[in-house]
């Protein structure tokens, strides 16, 4: 992470491993406390092999996706998922995970759909915590789920500000789009992500006018985010985006683009960024949508 | 499927979804290390590209004189990193259930056997596809290696 985190547009959205370790040691974290830590990984068992003390698992697939419809859980289910982790509406939630916080950013984005105010990422995620030799445990915190007023409220999910659907993207054509997939997926050479052949599409290429900025360019080797000047060099100078732009980011199912959504929204301060979670697995399989190669 | 694999499947099905995850973690923890001869020669392992994490496997078919090909013993070896516990867990199940069984038993295992563990609801159907791919590559290698004429 940049030496000076205050340089980011919304520095309060990132916490350091050192800060979090101090909060854990001070007993400030855990169910019902002011801070609750959740781990969100690609591998559903990684949390079970050892996790940050007092943290809970928040699986992107099992906990945040609807089991039948291709959509996120509804408001009642979201409230249950939060309450089961001792999270209240005003809890500070710290999300961390594997793969440079790729899935953690996705979980943060989904929590933002439900308007959870204070949700932050642990910069560097799981790998940085482990690389620094910090404590892991297999203990899962015990929760007595809150009831009544104390339980997480059933809130209306508002997709409009940060989520784009296929029709929104069709109406958006001509305005800035960021394709965060690998170069091979962008050009249409690959119909799936390298090493993920099971999530393919019948057509290859990209949405017309999209700029190719693979998501991982925003991350350092240790999984932390690049500094604000480095990020500005990529997104503003090289790609010509401006904070006033109305931007849509997409990838394959909306997880990698959540990482870019976080960078543009919280680190660079773009007020109008939407994540198209239908992404290439919808666009590349849809009939008669325009495709550029 | 062979009895050894069927027993594991029954254990999984009898468990609750969260217990299934713990069981899968045990298989992940207990996956044996690669023998030295493969650790030193990773090019002899086949990568299962369908897995979301790097997984490599090798199959050996025994050549006991006077034993029918169908009754020869099959040994399976896996390599997967500790940061991919779900993939390791799938490998662990297949190792425990199929390694040391006969050619006929391995080839007779139904392609959809991975669906018999109640894992789809515990880990998601998407993630299960890696296990289906492992099984199909194990069967393919077993068929290839058992078809080679003996010395």
């Amino acid at each position: 992470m940049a030496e000076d985190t205050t340089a980011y547009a919304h520095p309060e959205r990132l916490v350091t491993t050192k800060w979090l370790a101090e909060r854990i040691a001070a007993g400030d974290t855990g169910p019902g406390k002011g801070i609750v830590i959740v781990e969100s990984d690609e591998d559903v068992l990684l949390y079970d092999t050892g996790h940050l003390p007092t943290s809970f698992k928040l699986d992107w697939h099992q906990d945040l996706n609807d089991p039948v419809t291709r959509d996120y859980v509804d408001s009642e289910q979201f409230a249950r998922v939060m309450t089961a982790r001792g999270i209240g509406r005003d809890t500070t939630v710290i999300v961390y995970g594997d793969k440079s916080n790729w899935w953690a950013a996705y979980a943060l984005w989904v929590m933002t759909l439900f308007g959870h105010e204070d949700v932050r990422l642990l910069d560097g995620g799981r790998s940085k915590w482990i690389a620094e030799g910090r404590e892991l445990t297999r203990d899962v915190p015990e929760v007595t789920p809150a009831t009544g007023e104390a339980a997480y409220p059933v809130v209306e999910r508002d997709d409009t500000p940060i989520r784009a659907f296929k029709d929104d993207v069709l109406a958006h054509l001509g305005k800035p789009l960021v394709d965060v997939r690998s170069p091979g997926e962008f050009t249409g050479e690959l119909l799936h992500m390298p090493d993920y052949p099971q999530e393919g599409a019948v057509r290859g290429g990209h949405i017309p006018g999209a700029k190719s900025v693979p998501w991982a360019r925003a991350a350092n080797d240790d999984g932390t985010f690049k500094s604000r000047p480095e990020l500005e060099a990529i997104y503003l100078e090289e790609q010509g985006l401006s904070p006033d732009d109305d931007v849509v980011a997409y990838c394959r199912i909306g997880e990698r683009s959540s990482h870019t959504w976080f960078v543009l929204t919280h680190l660079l301060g773009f007020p109008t960024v939407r994540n198209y979670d239908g992404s290439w697995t919808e666009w590349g399989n849809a009939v008669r949508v325009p495709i550029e190669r | 499927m062979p009895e050894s694999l069927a027993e594991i499947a029954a254990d999984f099905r009898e468990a609750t979804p969260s217990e299934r995850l713990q069981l899968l973690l045990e298989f992940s923890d207990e996956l044996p290390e690669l023998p030295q001869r493969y650790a030193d020669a990773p090019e002899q392992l086949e990568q299962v590209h369908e897995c979301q994490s790097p997984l490599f496997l090798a199959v050996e078919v025994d050549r006991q004189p006077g034993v029918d090909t169908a009754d020869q013993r099959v040994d399976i070896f896996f390599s997967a990193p500790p940061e991919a516990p779900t993939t390791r867990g799938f490998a662990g199940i297949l190792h425990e259930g199929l390694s040391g069984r006969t050619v006929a038993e391995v080839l007779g295992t139904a392609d959809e056997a991975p669906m018999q563990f109640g894992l789809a609801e515990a880990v998601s159907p998407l993630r299960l596809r890696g296990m289906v791919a492992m099984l199909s590559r194990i069967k393919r290698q077993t068929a290839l290696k058992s078809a080679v004429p003996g010395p």
Side-chain angles (χ1 to χ4, degrees):
Chain A
M1 165 158 84
E3 291 299 311
D4 181 15
T5 58
T6 58
Y8 292 125
H10 302 292
E12 72 281 3
R13 291 295 179 165
L14 275 185
V15 304
T16 62
T17 49
K18 179 170 176 288
W19 180 88
L20 189 56
E22 287 166 2
R23 297 279 77 70
I24 294 169
D28 298 341
T29 62
K33 301 279 180 69
I35 303 171
V36 171
I37 309 168
V38 295
E39 174 164 345
S40 204
D41 297 316
E42 177 174 292
D43 192 305
V44 66
L45 268 184
L46 205 47
Y47 168 89
D48 304 86
T49 67
H51 50 260
L52 268 63
T54 74
S55 69
F56 290 92
K57 183 194 302 193
L58 182 66
D59 185 56
W60 66 278
H61 204 284
Q62 303 293 106
D63 297 318
L64 299 176
N65 271 316
D66 184 273
V68 181
T69 310
R70 184 172 171 191
D71 196 3
Y72 301 101
V73 290
D74 61 18
S75 304
E76 285 78 15
Q77 182 58 20
F78 182 75
R80 276 194 289 273
V81 166
M82 292 293 113
T83 298
R85 287 156 184 75
I87 296 172
R89 190 66 171 161
D90 52 3
T91 304
T92 297
V93 177
I94 312 287
V95 196
Y96 76 99
D98 61 353
K99 312 228 163 177
S100 304
N101 276 331
W102 158 5
W103 302 92
Y106 187 64
L108 181 146
W109 178 78
V110 174
M111 288 188 68
T112 307
L113 289 176
F114 288 95
H116 192 94
E117 197 77 31
D118 191 356
V119 53
R120 316 176 187 191
L121 287 184
L122 172 65
D123 200 24
R126 184 179 166 92
S127 61
K128 185 162 194 279
W129 184 273
I130 292 173
E132 292 169 347
R134 298 185 189 274
E135 185 186 353
L136 293 178
T137 178
R138 282 192 174 192
D139 294 341
V140 178
E142 293 209 13
V143 187
T144 312
T147 52
E149 291 281 295
Y152 200 91
V154 175
V155 289
E156 188 84 22
R157 193 180 84 203
D158 183 7
D159 291 339
T160 326
I162 61 166
R163 185 181 186 193
F165 294 95
K166 186 173 122 246
D167 287 345
D168 301 326
V169 178
L170 283 166
H172 183 86
L173 292 177
K175 290 193 237 166
L177 280 156
V178 181
D179 183 318
V180 314
R181 298 172 301 158
S182 61
E185 294 170 273
F186 182 79
T187 58
E189 187 187 322
L190 281 176
L191 291 174
H192 56 77
M193 184 179 170
D195 300 333
Y196 293 68
Q198 72 276 42
E199 292 174 35
V202 295
R203 287 291 185 272
H206 54 266
I207 301 177
K211 300 167 189 301
S212 171
V213 192
W215 71 278
R217 289 189 64 194
N220 292 311
D221 290 343
D222 66 355
T224 57
F225 288 101
K226 286 191 174 150
S227 68
R228 185 161 187 183
E230 289 169 316
L231 295 173
E232 285 177 344
I234 298 170
Y235 296 96
L236 306 189
E237 288 150 40
E238 181 193 302
Q239 298 295 332
L241 293 174
S242 150
D244 311 327
D245 285 338
D246 175 3
V247 183
V248 171
Y250 72 94
C251 57
R252 165 186 57 121
I253 54 170
E255 20 53 288
R256 287 174 286 176
S257 45
S258 297
H259 190 272
T260 299
W261 172 86
F262 183 87
V263 168
L264 293 176
T265 301
H266 292 313
L267 304 186
L268 291 177
F270 283 44
T272 317
V273 184
R274 284 173 295 166
N275 180 23
Y276 170 38
D277 59 282
S279 277
W280 202 254
T281 50
E282 178 178 44
W283 199 272
N285 288 315
V287 176
R288 285 180 101 178
V289 296
I291 290 176
E292 198 168 77
R293 294 190 72 145
Chain B
M1 51 178 126
E3 204 177 316
S4 46
L5 193 60
E7 277 172 19
I8 301 172
D11 287 346
F12 270 91
R13 279 200 310 273
E14 283 161 18
T16 65
S18 72
E19 288 168 348
R20 284 175 209 161
L21 280 184
Q22 284 310 310
L23 211 48
L24 191 61
L25 183 60
E26 286 170 27
F27 279 99
S28 169
D29 286 344
E30 288 161 13
L31 181 69
E33 292 278 322
L34 269 185
Q36 204 58 41
R37 64 183 185 280
Y38 284 115
D40 292 341
E43 72 282 358
Q44 291 189 24
L45 300 167
E46 174 180 357
Q47 181 167 8
V48 180
H49 290 282
E50 292 84 350
C51 289
Q52 296 198 346
S53 315
L55 179 108
F56 297 85
L57 61 84
V59 173
E60 288 178 2
V61 176
D62 209 355
R63 299 289 186 89
Q64 287 298 323
V67 176
D68 280 355
T69 305
D71 297 326
Q72 295 283 5
R73 175 190 162 106
V74 177
D75 284 290
I76 312 168
F77 307 93
F78 294 95
S79 166
E83 61 272 19
T86 300
T87 300
R88 283 179 63 88
F90 294 159
I93 290 172
L94 293 173
H95 181 270
E96 180 89 10
L98 293 181
S99 196
R101 314 306 300 186
T102 66
V103 168
E105 285 174 308
V106 172
L107 295 182
T109 305
D111 292 338
E112 59 275 15
M115 304 304 166
Q116 310 295 312
F117 291 74
L119 282 168
E121 53 182 306
V123 304
S124 90
L126 196 70
R127 286 164 169 144
L128 253 190
R129 295 187 199 173
M131 189 169 170
V132 174
M134 278 183 220
L135 176 62
S136 83
R137 285 170 190 257
I138 289 167
K139 287 173 65 175
R140 195 185 124 266
Q141 279 210 30
T142 303
L144 277 173
K145 290 185 173 161
S146 58
V148 177

